[in-house]
Amino acid sequence: MQQRFELVVFIPLAFYLIFYARPGVLPSEDGSGGIFTVIFLVLILVLIFCFRLFDDLWNREIDAGKPDRIYTDINSHTILKNFLIGFFAVVLCTIWFFNNEAAAVLTGFSLLNFFAYFLLFKKWKWRFILPLLKYPFLYFLLCIFLKNSAFSQYEILIGISLLPAFLLFEIFDDKEFFFSDWIIFSIFLAGNSLLLFANPTSVFAWILAGIGVVVFLLTYKNHADFKDVFPYAILIYFLILRLLVQV
């Protein structure tokens, strides 16, 4: 956790996902919102930790030359792998106790995720893309806890929009992960389109999206000048747009 799971980074990330899923789940006057926020915060942090460790274990050979990577040591790798299996089993059983559907969905996603890593991890750019799939999934998992009915088109489009948002974050944050300019622009437009189509009647969302596209085109070539904040600005932009879609 000291090397790969800094809470100062992952607590804001967990709040981001919670707020993206349900802005109303934040503290309310009667205090119920605050209680749910704490529960969901712990849930998201635990699951992100599991997925993070899973991804690191698959990266053992790639990260072998990097400092502060205890999982690259063969003995530590084995210990951490066994720990992850046991810890995840406990997490899964705990979730099953509270929500059978959520536990079943988590089991299904985890199996699909494992086979996706097994088949695709060493091909093309999949080792960068596969870890990002957990963010839309965690959104949908939160929605399962928050409702009893089937997903609406609105919720599905909002959930999927997290993938282009985090793809752009990773592209601008990791120099090893890159695409051509037109693909990056297409990803940005796809993220905007998914949110706008979720609620086409939101005038404020259309206005912000128009401004966002113009600003993105103007700043893209010079993003290296403020590379430390540009990836986070992308995430904040999509969160604001997601909020406006609901208005």
Side-chain angles (χ1 to χ4, degrees), residues 104-128:
V105 171
L106 176 58
T107 301
F109 175 81
S110 300
L111 290 173
L112 289 174
N113 195 48
F114 174 83
F115 285 113
Y117 270 73
F118 181 77
L119 295 172
L120 301 173
F121 186 77
K122 294 183 179 181
K123 299 178 180 179
W124 191 53
K125 302 178 186 291
W126 283 108
R127 72 183 179 92
F128 299 102

Side-chain angles (χ1 to χ4, degrees), residues 202-237:
S202 177
V203 176
F204 295 110
W206 281 95
I207 293 174
L208 177 62
I211 297 173
V213 170
V214 173
V215 172
F216 185 81
L217 290 172
L218 293 175
T219 58
Y220 169 72
K221 287 298 184 181
N222 299 319
H223 75 269
D225 295 338
F226 39 97
K227 60 182 179 180
D228 293 335
V229 299
F230 197 77
Y232 297 95
I234 293 291
L235 289 184
I236 293 172
Y237 165 77

Side-chain angles (χ1 to χ4, degrees), residues 5-21 26 37 40-42 44-46 48 135 138 142 162 166 169 232 235-236 239:
F5 200 75
E6 298 180 10
L7 291 178
V8 68
V9 173
F10 287 97
I11 287 179
L13 173 60
F15 273 119
Y16 184 93
L17 294 172
I18 293 171
F19 201 33
Y20 209 93
L26 294 181
T37 300
F40 291 139
L41 175 65
V42 173
I44 295 300
L45 283 174
V46 168
I48 290 178
Y135 298 118
L138 291 172
L142 280 172
L162 277 167
F166 277 95
F169 176 88
Y232 297 95
L235 289 184
I236 293 172
L239 178 60

Side-chain angles (χ1 to χ4, degrees), residues 167-204:
L167 272 172
L168 290 170
F169 176 88
E170 193 70 15
I171 289 169
F172 292 118
D173 187 61
D174 191 336
K175 293 181 180 179
E176 295 183 38
F177 185 39
F178 58 88
F179 285 107
S180 60
D181 292 349
W182 74 269
I183 293 181
I184 293 175
F185 293 146
S186 297
I187 294 172
F188 183 76
L189 291 175
N192 281 268
S193 299
L194 286 165
L195 288 171
L196 292 175
F197 291 157
N199 181 14
T201 62
S202 177
V203 176
F204 295 110

Side-chain angles (χ1 to χ4, degrees), residues 9-72:
V9 173
F10 287 97
I11 287 179
L13 173 60
F15 273 119
Y16 184 93
L17 294 172
I18 293 171
F19 201 33
Y20 209 93
R22 282 293 184 276
V25 84
L26 294 181
S28 56
E29 292 182 2
D30 62 1
S32 60
I35 294 173
F36 282 121
T37 300
V38 173
I39 294 173
F40 291 139
L41 175 65
V42 173
L43 171 66
I44 295 300
L45 283 174
V46 168
L47 290 176
I48 290 178
F49 171 77
C50 290
F51 287 125
R52 174 78 163 183
L53 180 53
F54 175 81
D55 181 61
D56 280 345
L57 292 174
W58 276 91
N59 273 286
R60 182 176 68 86
E61 295 180 3
I62 297 172
D63 293 343
K66 298 180 180 180
D68 298 326
R69 296 288 193 275
I70 190 174
Y71 55 87
T72 60

